[in-house]
Amino acid sequence: MTITIPLNTDCINSLDLSPVVTEIEKLLQEGAMLQQGAAQGAMLQQGAAQGAIASYEQQLHFDIDYTLEPGDPRELSEIPEVRLWFIRLDTRYPWLPFLLDWKTGEFARYAAMLVPHQFSTKEGIQYNPEALEIFLMHKLFALNDWLQQQGIPSKSRLQSMAQLLGYELDDAFFEMF
């Protein structure tokens, strides 16, 4: 089930995260209630409690309606106000890529909001290589820790995320942390 979060110009310009916070807090609350029930000896298994947030993996989509002047050719990731909103969001939820719908390009768009890049008519988006590597390492470490806290296996998920950005991670990388 896809979770679509609408964002408009006012929300973005005022750095209002409430549309996302409302949805994320619902998901976290559901997970907390399941974990509490499991801890109190309810019929739930711990796996079911841990699976609450996992059931929303790759389900989040942003419907961005940002008003531009007629003829403005910029992509959303080229608009400073939109990028700033996503920077604020990433600060609040550094593990958010786990929930983003990778199949529809949400993770790639999210990365474009946070990583300096240029657009090429021939090659598409061209990320700054060093900035992309720093972004990826930050996400890998943040997500690894968060996934472990949730009791969710992380290695294959993190390898898949890295592949979306053109990186191959071998098993030795994960032995380091």
Side-chain angles (χ1 to χ4, degrees):
M1 174 182 104
T2 300
I3 301 167
T4 300
I5 299 176
L7 303 175
N8 61 32
T9 302
D10 291 338
C11 175
I12 290 170
N13 286 343
S14 65
L15 296 175
D16 178 10
L17 297 179
S18 64
V20 179
V21 171
T22 300
E23 289 298 322
I24 299 291
E25 294 306 318
K26 277 194 262 183
L27 302 179
L28 294 175
Q29 184 75 22
E30 178 182 320
M33 288 182 351
L34 285 173
Q35 286 177 344
Q36 183 180 23
Q40 293 176 353
M43 297 300 289
L44 298 170
Q45 296 179 356
Q46 187 173 4
Q50 293 168 342
I53 194 75
S55 66
Y56 297 104
E57 181 177 10
Q58 297 187 29
Q59 298 297 311
L60 189 65
H61 173 77
F62 292 108
D63 181 16
I64 304 172
D65 180 21
Y66 191 82
T67 305
L68 295 172
E69 294 293 324
D72 189 338
R74 293 179 297 171
E75 297 287 331
L76 289 172
S77 63
E78 295 176 291
I79 301 168
E81 294 84 0
V82 177
R83 292 184 73 146
L84 186 61
W85 188 91
F86 274 91
I87 290 168
R88 183 161 191 247
L89 177 65
D90 188 65
T91 300
R92 176 97 184 237
Y93 300 112
W95 47 265
L96 190 67
F98 175 79
L99 297 177
L100 296 175
D101 187 350
W102 296 2
K103 294 175 210 86
T104 62
E106 280 299 311
F107 178 65
R109 179 167 69 172
Y110 190 78
M113 297 295 182
L114 301 171
V115 178
H117 61 278
Q118 296 178 345
F119 284 101
S120 164
T121 54
K122 293 180 183 179
E123 298 178 32
I125 192 168
Q126 299 293 304
Y127 293 105
N128 173 297
E130 292 84 14
L132 183 61
E133 188 172 327
I134 290 168
F135 169 78
L136 177 61
M137 291 302 119
H138 176 260
K139 289 295 136 202
L140 290 173
F141 294 138
L143 277 166
N144 184 64
D145 291 347
W146 184 80
L147 288 168
Q148 286 181 353
Q149 290 170 359
Q150 304 304 311
I152 300 170
S154 61
K155 188 168 109 177
S156 65
R157 286 172 170 88
L158 298 177
Q159 286 173 320
S160 295
M161 185 181 77
Q163 285 176 342
L164 286 173
L165 298 176
Y167 289 85
E168 292 291 327
L169 301 176
D170 60 21
D171 293 340
F173 175 79
F174 294 96
E175 293 170 9
M176 294 172 31
F177 60 97

